[in-house]
């Protein structure tokens, strides 16, 4: 799949002509004309006409030989989101099918969310649920993301890293789950280029240095293998297998290895005509060179969940160097490259739903709908998805030899609930490879697991929620407690909600009217009042959330009265001629002796633009003008002008929190601390974390005099190598 060529619309349409009939090609052409007209006045960040992006997305889908509706949706995927055209327009111009595909990849742009992260999570939830109903949605989304990654250089650095990280966390693993290695590798390599450019270009340069030497070595190996295969009459295509940059980086990071310690830099791929030939070639390879122990994998007998099949072996090659060999059939190779797209049944006149064999291989897709039903919010949904679908997997055998796939770190409880809810609920123990193990035993690939059950079991323990790793198991355990203790939970939940309302100092009779309770029940999408209180009882939702919803009208009214009373009290104060120094260093113009404090949510310092916020009973809190906590309509009613006092004591210090991000390496934290100390700045607290991509985030609270002092500290930190960004944060 070439990534350096910008296709024209005619080239894309010509590619579809290679596998679609005339009617299908014309359908695709009409979609292009529609998209071209809709996007006619739009341009990308690069300055190019916007239509170039949908053309490339449709081109990627045409390379995968997708059906006419999918390629058409590739042309149209941004029309509803970015132009005045509606889904109804697409339905009328094309079909309900195309409109549903476009809707599946359209972001939720019209709804207001608390944060960018919440909006992204909701967008992903919508996309995954649409994907579970029609898998072509994700094919379009992957093509869209692939082209966006190819043109990421036109965006600001911070946005590049955010998009690259999202790609590495969600879209590359998804491409892997679907078996589309051509897209997966490119997404991973491009993401690394923006997340860790230093390591990316270092590996690129190391690979270039020995490329000629590797190619010469592999050519000699191919000649040797070909000679032996000619003797037994096996026809095959052989080639050196390129090692992808991200794969090398990940092995170096996880296994703490140097570049020259990576075994499969030297790799060869052999494609033959039949499965019988695959095993015959394996015999030839093992006859020529000695195999390395523990490095043989038979993915033909036991395919990966994404349908990948191949034989993998590593041998000690002609010069004593490890040599990896992959052996597969032509059909296996097509599936390895294009995954789910290689199974697409359009050309056979079948829909995806009719192809039951294919559906059986992708049963994990249906689990997505279970996650949707069992999770409270979008962020929880995405976390469940990352753990259950995108983490590394282990493959465990039942006593009868069936293979069960589970996320790495799973325990026997996860296995039991994967088999059936009742087996999970009646579990009393487990045997691994014939020996008794505890229920917190971490399962390993190849384990034979037998679940011991008893009809007299009282059901799961609350502790199992801490032991279980998969969302499926946790949700089934919660479902058991919901059902068993419903009455108890209803009473408990009602008491907790009433307690919260009393703490807010409201009258229960006034708040808990049938109409008000019914309104809140509908807000939370419960069937009835008992379901809502039961959910509070088993911690599915908090009592405070329900109480806040029930009292929102009364709280707003009370707040307005308090603000009005406080504002009147402020206006009646007589202006004083004398100005007293305040500990905050801030004054309200014309008024003295007011309690003034600096807000901890944004930590304003001299030099920041500030505004006062009249609080309930605690005087005036001072915020930065860009603080998100004061931009709501309710907050604006309480704002008053304030200013920094002139002639402040230059020695007064203010706390500020900063966040530093970069590539984790030995000694980095010490260098950061030294840089801050050199700028004669006190440090209150320091914390740090590193993600799986070796990206480090250091959060630090420092004491500074003013904005100029802060800028000097930031400028000094930025001089440290391997740091990408330093920013001031709000709590």
């Amino acid at each position: 799949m070439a990534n350096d060529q910008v296709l024209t619309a005619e080239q894309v349409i010509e590619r579809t002509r290679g596998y679609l009939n005339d009617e299908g090609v014309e359908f695709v052409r009409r979609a292009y004309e529609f998209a071209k007209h809709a996007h006619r006045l739009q341009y990308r960040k690069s300055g190019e006409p916007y239509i170039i992006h949908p053309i490339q997305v449709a081109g990627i889908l045409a390379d995968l030989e997708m059906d006419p509706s999918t390629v058409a949706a590739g042309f149209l995927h941004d029309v509803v989101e970015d132009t005045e055209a509606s889904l109804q327009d697409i339905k009328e111009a094309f079909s309900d099918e195309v409109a549903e595909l476009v809707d599946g990849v359209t972001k939720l742009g019209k709804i207001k969310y608390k944060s960018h992260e919440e909006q992204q999570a909701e967008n992903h939830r919508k996309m995954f649920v649409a994907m579970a109903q029609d898998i072509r949605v994700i094919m379009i989304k992957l093509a869209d993301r692939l082209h966006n990654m190819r043109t990421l250089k036109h965006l600001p650095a911070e946005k590049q890293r955010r998009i690259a990280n999202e790609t590495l966390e969600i879209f590359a693993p998804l491409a892997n789950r679907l078996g589309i290695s051509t897209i997966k590798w490119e997404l991973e390599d491009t993401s690394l280029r923006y997340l860790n450019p230093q390591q990316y270009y270092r590996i690129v340069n190391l690979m270039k240095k020995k490329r000629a030497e590797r190619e010469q070595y592999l050519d000699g190996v191919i000649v040797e293998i070909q000679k032996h295969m000619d003797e037994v009459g096996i026809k095959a295509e052989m080639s050196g297998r390129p090692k992808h940059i991200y794969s090398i980086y990940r092995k170096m990071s996880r296994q703490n290895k140097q570049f020259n310690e990576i075994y499969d830099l030297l790799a060869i791929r052999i494609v033959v005509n039949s499965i019988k030939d695959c095993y015959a070639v394996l015999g030839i390879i093992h006859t020529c060179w000695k195999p390395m122990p523990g490095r043989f994998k038979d993915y033909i007998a036991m395919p990966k969940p994404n349908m990948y099949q191949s034989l993998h072996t590593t041998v000690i090659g002609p010069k004593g160097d490890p040599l990896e060999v992959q052996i597969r059939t032509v059909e296996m190779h097509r599936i390895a490259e294009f995954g789910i797209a290689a199974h697409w049944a359009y050309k056979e006149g079948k829909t995806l739903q009719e192809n039951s064999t294919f559906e059986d291989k992708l049963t994990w897709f249906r689990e997505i709908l279970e996650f949707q039903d069992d999770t409270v919010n979008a962020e929880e949904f995405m976390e469940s998805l990352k753990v259950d679908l995108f983490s590394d997997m282990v493959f465990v055998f039942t006593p009868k030899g069936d293979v069960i796939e589970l996320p790495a770190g799973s325990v026997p409880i996860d296995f039991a609930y994967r088999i059936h809810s009742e087996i999970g609920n009646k579990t009393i123990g487990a045997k691994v490879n014939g020996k008794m193990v505890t229920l917190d035993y971490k399962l390993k690939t190849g384990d034979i697991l037998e679940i011991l059950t008893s009809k007299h079991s009282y059901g799961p323990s609350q502790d199992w929620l801490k032991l279980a790793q998969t969302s499926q198991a946790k949700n089934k355990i919660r479902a058991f407690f919901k059902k068993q203790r419903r009455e108890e939970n209803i009473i408990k939940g009602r008491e907790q909600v009433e307690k919260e309302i009393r703490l807010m100092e409201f009258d229960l009779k006034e708040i808990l009217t049938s109409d008000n309770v019914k309104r809140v029940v509908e807000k939370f999408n419960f069937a009835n009042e008992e379901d809502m209180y039961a959910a509070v009882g088993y911690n599915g939702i908090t009592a405070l959330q329900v109480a806040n919803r029930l009292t929102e009208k009364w709280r707003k009214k009370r707040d307005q009265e308090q603000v009005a009373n406080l504002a009147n009290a402020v206006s009646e104060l007589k202006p004083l001629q004398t100005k007293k120094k305040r500990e905050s260093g801030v004054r309200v113009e014309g008024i003295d002796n007011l309690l003034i404090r600096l807000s901890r949510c944004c930590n304003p310092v001299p030099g920041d633009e500030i505004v006062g916020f009249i609080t309930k009973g605690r005087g005036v809190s001072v915020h930065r003008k860009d603080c998100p906590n004061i931009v709501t309509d309710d907050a604006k009613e309480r704002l008053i002008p304030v200013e920094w006092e002139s002639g402040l004591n230059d020695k007064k210090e203010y706390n500020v929190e900063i966040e530093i991000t970069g590539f984790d390496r030995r000694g980095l934290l010490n260098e950061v601390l030294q840089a801050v100390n050199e700028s004669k700045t006190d440090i209150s607290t320091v914390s740090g974390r590193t993600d799986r991509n070796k990206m480090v985030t250091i959060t630090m609270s420092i004491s500074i005099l003013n904005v100029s002092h802060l800028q000097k500290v930031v400028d000094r930190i930025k001089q440290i190598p391997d740091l990408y960004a330093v920013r001031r944060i709000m709590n």
Side-chain angles (χ1 to χ4, degrees), residues 675 679 681 706-719:
S679 61
T681 303
N706 50 42
V707 171
S708 299
H709 181 189
L710 175 61
Q711 190 59 49
K712 286 178 185 174
V713 177
V714 170
D715 290 343
R716 175 64 187 87
I717 294 171
K718 281 184 175 178
Q719 294 172 15

Side-chain angles (χ1 to χ4, degrees), residues 52 59 61 136 154 200 295 499 533 573 585 654 676 712:
I52 286 178
L61 294 169
R136 292 173 296 176
H154 301 292
Y200 175 86
R295 299 284 298 174
K499 181 181 176 183
Y533 288 128
L573 290 172
Y654 299 81
V676 177
K712 286 178 185 174

Side-chain angles (χ1 to χ4, degrees), residues 23 37 54 77 132 173 185 294 310 318 381 453 462 482 510 537 560 605 607:
E23 185 182 348
H37 177 75
H77 76 278
W185 289 122
S310 189
F381 171 77
T453 61
Q462 284 281 1
K482 284 185 209 176
E510 185 180 8
Q560 287 171 345
V605 299

Side-chain angles (χ1 to χ4, degrees), residues 47-48 154 215 228 327 339 378 455 479 558 723 727:
E48 300 169 320
H154 301 292
E215 287 175 355
H228 287 282
I327 310 162
K455 61 183 179 181
R558 183 166 68 183
L723 291 184
R727 70 181 187 94

